[in-house]
Amino acid sequence: REALTARSFWMLSVGTALRHMVTEGISVHFVILLVDRAWTTESASGLLGVSALIGAPSRLGMAWLGDWLDKRRLMMGLLVILSISVFSMGWSTDAHFFFTFMVAYSLAFGGLASLQEPIRVDYFGTRNFASIHGWARSVTTAGTFMGPIVAGFFYDLTRSYALAFTFFAVISLLSLVCIYLAKRPVK
């Protein structure tokens, strides 16, 4: 009950939901975006796999850094990188440019994924972690659900992913604001 009444719980949950909106929207539409830009389905799918591989060491690295540094500040830095990379991928027509920002996106995505539960533990402890996590996931699931729909809506409207990725870049910054406002609760 104490966690659910804390502003930091809701800011973390909404910030994570917004981040999920971005990353799930991009994950679902990643291959379609590249096929739309004249890539073959095979090469676009392969690049999606490369993106997942790139994110794996970031999950481990950010988890380790999170043990030593302020997780909230790490998340904020990663959200800036996520926003810039998403915007750049949305407007990029050059394969090298796209790949460079896809690497940055993958590293930020992996790092953010590894920090969302540990920061909850730092803030609210482990005693009722399952219940707290369940409540938080009920909020973040909305972002997971909405991301692909929003990307599809923008694509149907404009026949391009540029506006969808611009929207996602802004949403990443809104997530950053939520995480900034999610200061550790005072016991």
Side-chain angles (χ1 to χ4, degrees), residues 58-147:
S58 180
R59 288 175 189 256
L60 297 172
M62 283 300 148
W64 179 80
L65 274 176
D67 287 339
W68 298 99
L69 302 174
D70 183 337
K71 290 172 191 67
R72 187 171 135 265
R73 289 180 190 221
L74 281 173
M75 290 175 79
M76 289 169 31
L78 290 168
L79 284 164
V80 168
I81 294 168
L82 189 76
S83 182
I84 292 168
S85 62
V86 165
F87 179 81
S88 300
M89 288 184 338
W91 289 93
S92 172
T93 55
D94 178 70
H96 292 48
F97 188 73
F98 182 89
F99 184 78
T100 300
F101 283 100
M102 190 257 339
V103 169
Y105 165 81
S106 302
L107 292 171
F109 180 11
L112 287 161
S114 69
L115 294 171
Q116 64 188 15
E117 281 82 17
I119 195 171
R120 251 187 238 117
V121 170
D122 285 356
Y123 279 26
F124 307 110
T126 57
R127 183 164 181 215
N128 295 301
F129 179 75
S131 297
I132 292 167
H133 182 68
W135 277 99
R137 281 305 239 182
S138 68
V139 176
T140 60
T141 298
T144 302
F145 172 81
M146 290 301 298

Side-chain angles (χ1 to χ4, degrees), residues 25-26 29 146-156 160-161 164-165 168:
I26 290 171
H29 289 271
M146 290 301 298
I149 294 170
V150 168
F153 171 77
F154 277 114
Y155 182 81
D156 290 345
S160 167
Y161 281 106
F165 278 51
F168 285 151

Side-chain angles (χ1 to χ4, degrees), residues 31-76:
V31 172
I32 304 164
L33 162 78
L34 293 176
V35 169
D36 191 54
R37 293 182 178 171
W39 289 54
T40 65
T41 304
E42 294 79 16
S43 59
S45 299
L47 193 58
L48 180 59
V50 169
S51 177
L53 282 174
I54 292 168
S58 180
R59 288 175 189 256
L60 297 172
M62 283 300 148
W64 179 80
L65 274 176
D67 287 339
W68 298 99
L69 302 174
D70 183 337
K71 290 172 191 67
R72 187 171 135 265
R73 289 180 190 221
L74 281 173
M75 290 175 79
M76 289 169 31

Side-chain angles (χ1 to χ4, degrees), residues 2-45:
E2 188 179 338
L4 292 177
T5 60
R7 175 179 158 182
S8 56
F9 170 83
W10 293 103
M11 290 293 100
L12 277 176
S13 298
V14 170
T16 304
L18 293 172
R19 197 268 305 161
H20 275 257
M21 177 188 287
V22 172
T23 54
E24 294 305 318
I26 290 171
S27 293
V28 168
H29 289 271
F30 187 89
V31 172
I32 304 164
L33 162 78
L34 293 176
V35 169
D36 191 54
R37 293 182 178 171
W39 289 54
T40 65
T41 304
E42 294 79 16
S43 59
S45 299

